[in-house]
Amino acid sequence: MSMTSTATEQTAVLDYRLTAADRCDSCGAQAYIAAEVNGSELLFCAHHGRKYEEKLRAVATSWHDETARLIESL
Ligand SMILES: [Zn+2]
């Protein structure tokens, strides 16, 4: 008997490009979110990405989210 729910399908982000060398601009943790604002790229960890997401999405010209990698690694 399967308890798996298929109600929420996520859009897969397959072009992972952030590495361990990419660091959150706020705390220095590994970055999983990249936002392009005014032609420069801002990097954030999952925590700060979520924290600033609402404000950033309003001004960002691109939004790159690799936080799905964190879920996969659990
Ligand atoms: Zn951070």
Side-chain angles (χ1 to χ4, degrees), residues 32-52:
Y32 286 94
I33 291 173
E36 192 175 313
V37 179
N38 294 328
S40 59
E41 189 174 62
L42 304 176
L43 299 175
F44 295 102
C45 65
H47 171 74
H48 285 110
R50 292 286 170 258
K51 185 177 179 181
Y52 300 132

Side-chain angles (χ1 to χ4, degrees), residues 14-61:
L14 297 174
D15 61 331
Y16 294 150
R17 59 181 174 81
L18 296 174
T19 70
D22 292 307
R23 294 289 159 178
C24 173
D25 288 341
S26 291
C27 70
Q30 186 171 346
Y32 286 94
I33 291 173
E36 192 175 313
V37 179
N38 294 328
S40 59
E41 189 174 62
L42 304 176
L43 299 175
F44 295 102
C45 65
H47 171 74
H48 285 110
R50 292 286 170 258
K51 185 177 179 181
Y52 300 132
E53 180 171 2
E54 197 174 333
K55 287 182 178 178
L56 279 172
R57 277 190 185 273
V59 294
T61 52

